[in-house]
Structure formats: structure tokens, C-alpha cells
Amino acid sequence: MPALVEIDSVNKHFGDLHVLKDVTTNVEAGEVVVVIGPSGSGKSTLCRAINRLETIDGGAIRIDGTALPAEGRALAQLRADVGMVFQAFNLFAHKTVLENVALGPRKVRRLSKADAEAKAMALLDRVGVANQAHKMPAQLSGGQQQRVAIARALAMEPKLILLDEPTSALDPEMINEVLDVMVQLAKDGMTMIVVTHEMGFARRAADRVLFMADGEIVEEATPEKFFTDPQTQRAKDFLSKILTH
């Protein structure tokens, strides 16, 4: 059986800047992989390449054994199967919370309005914001909006969820309410690739940590191994800076 996500010798340039350099790794179904590293290391670019928000210059990415489609209906299908949660919540400002979550199942999965809204309510309840269902996104806190964004990704019943710095735009007191939802998703067996600066989440929920620097995967290991016994000087330097403050 192929891995759910296969990343094979992926390269990406922005002009003269080589942001992904022969990146190769796999993610198995049910695995939680946390990608960490200094700013500018290529973490978010890799995350965005997995559902083709960024095109790649070389190599291959396969989801469930199928290469990423270039465009058209096949790409829309891929995007339906790969949920994405961004740093900026990207909710539709003119739709209620409930409408935001029910939209994908109605438009893409062709559920009836009643079925889509019932599913959306169940997911809003799961992430702890069912009581906000009829409000507009602007009436919610950042933490609540991000939990709605997670519910919206889940509504499509994706094979995989990508979370790109999901807590970095939040006030400190809101971060834990989002991380708690993510930890529960991990326990429920959701396949996740998470780009984050939250080392506590990496330790609690990750099956594997990828440490990136300068466009390369420098180290990959279990959280226990990575945080207690990093193998490279680059990882040791990174951890010494972030874990001493």
C-alpha cells in the first residue's frame, strides 16, 4: 500500500530563491506529522504544495497513489479530499458560521441543505462553537473563528487536513482552545500535517516531527527523540533558542 501522501524529490523556486530542495518524505494514513523550523525554511510552501496552492518545479507529490492534478475538475476533487486550515481563517465574511461550514458539503458533496446543516451543526458542536452557529464570523473571537475553519475543513470528510500556522494569528489565551481541538482530532485518527511553532502540541500530538531549515528536511524523528536527542547541529541550535525562553 502506498503512503497516503508521497513527497518525492520536490523542488520549488521563487525566482532565484530555492525554497524547497529535493524534499522527500511520506505520511501514512492516520499519522500526525508536525513540521517545524525557522522562518523561511520552506514549511508553509511545502504545506501549500500538497494541495497545489503552490506549483512545484520538480519532483512529484501523490495523494493516495495519484499524482497531483494540474487543474480542472480533478484538482477540485483533490482539494475536496485535502482540507486546509490557514493562519488567516479565510471564512466568508458575508455568511453565517453555519453557512460557512455547510457550503462545501452542499456545493461539492451535493448534500441537501438540511443534511449539510445538520452535519455542520454536529461539527460545530465537536469543536465547541455550536452556540455561535448563527453569528457572522466578525462577531467571533479569533480562536472561535479558527475552530469554525477546522469544522469547515472537516465537513468535507477529507482524507487529510493541512494546517498552516493555525495559531500564529491568535492571542495567547486563544491558542490553547484551538490546540485542544487539534489534539482531539489527532486522537480521533485524522491524518494531519501541521506547520506550527507550538512545540507543546508537537510533543503531545505528533507521531513524527519534521525539522526543516533552508528548504530541506534536516531531521525527522519521533517527538521524544527529536526534543531530547536532536542529531544535527542545526536542530540543536534551533531548539536551544526556542526552548530556553
Side-chain angles (χ1 to χ4, degrees):
M1 285 287 291
L4 180 60
V5 183
E6 299 168 87
I7 300 168
D8 186 8
S9 302
V10 165
N11 282 275
K12 171 70 179 177
H13 295 78
F14 290 122
D16 294 335
L17 195 61
H18 197 174
V19 288
L20 295 175
K21 303 172 184 172
D22 290 321
V23 173
T24 297
T25 191
N26 289 344
V27 179
E28 302 293 337
E31 192 175 19
V32 178
V33 174
V34 172
V35 187
I36 64 173
S39 295
S41 57
K43 308 182 299 293
S44 288
T45 303
L46 178 62
C47 191
R48 291 168 65 84
I50 293 169
N51 75 344
R52 216 173 179 283
L53 286 172
E54 295 286 359
T55 56
I56 57 175
D57 301 328
I61 299 175
R62 290 178 291 276
I63 308 285
D64 230 358
T66 302
L68 292 193
E71 55 194 23
R73 185 168 290 179
L75 182 59
Q77 182 61 51
L78 167 87
R79 297 245 174 90
D81 288 340
V82 180
M84 182 102 191
V85 178
F86 301 89
Q87 178 177 339
F89 323 118
N90 288 17
L91 299 173
F92 292 111
H94 63 290
K95 293 185 180 295
T96 66
V97 163
L98 182 64
E99 288 167 339
N100 264 280
V101 179
L103 186 65
R106 287 189 67 191
K107 296 284 189 195
V108 182
R109 301 293 193 212
R110 301 295 180 203
L111 266 62
S112 70
K113 184 171 189 275
D115 287 348
E117 289 190 350
K119 180 177 198 170
M121 281 303 300
L123 287 166
L124 290 170
D125 186 51
R126 182 173 170 186
V127 300
V129 288
N131 59 337
Q132 309 294 329
H134 300 292
K135 291 185 180 176
M136 306 305 277
Q139 296 174 277
L140 274 58
S141 71
Q144 289 170 328
Q145 288 189 60
Q146 195 58 293
R147 285 185 281 162
V148 173
I150 292 171
R152 182 178 60 179
L154 291 171
M156 299 300 287
E157 298 182 6
K159 298 173 181 176
L160 162 73
I161 292 187
L162 308 170
L163 299 105
D164 185 14
E165 303 275 15
T167 59
S168 62
L170 300 177
D171 292 333
E173 69 269 21
M174 294 175 190
I175 290 173
N176 283 339
E177 65 189 58
V178 174
L179 292 178
D180 287 345
V181 170
M182 290 162 57
V183 168
Q184 190 56 53
L185 287 181
K187 287 178 179 169
D188 293 344
M190 173 57 71
T191 311
M192 296 195 285
I193 299 174
V194 186
V195 174
T196 186
H197 294 293
E198 297 295 333
M199 299 303 140
F201 173 78
R203 286 183 148 167
R204 269 164 75 196
D207 295 303
R208 188 157 43 100
V209 172
L210 300 186
F211 173 67
M212 289 186 72
D214 304 317
E216 299 177 292
I217 296 175
V218 177
E219 238 176 272
E220 51 184 308
T222 63
E224 174 68 22
K225 175 81 172 159
F226 179 76
F227 286 110
T228 59
D229 187 23
Q231 298 299 295
T232 61
Q233 192 58 47
R234 192 77 182 78
K236 288 174 186 171
D237 291 346
F238 176 77
L239 289 172
S240 73
K241 286 192 181 82
I242 59 163
L243 297 180
T244 52
H245 295 294

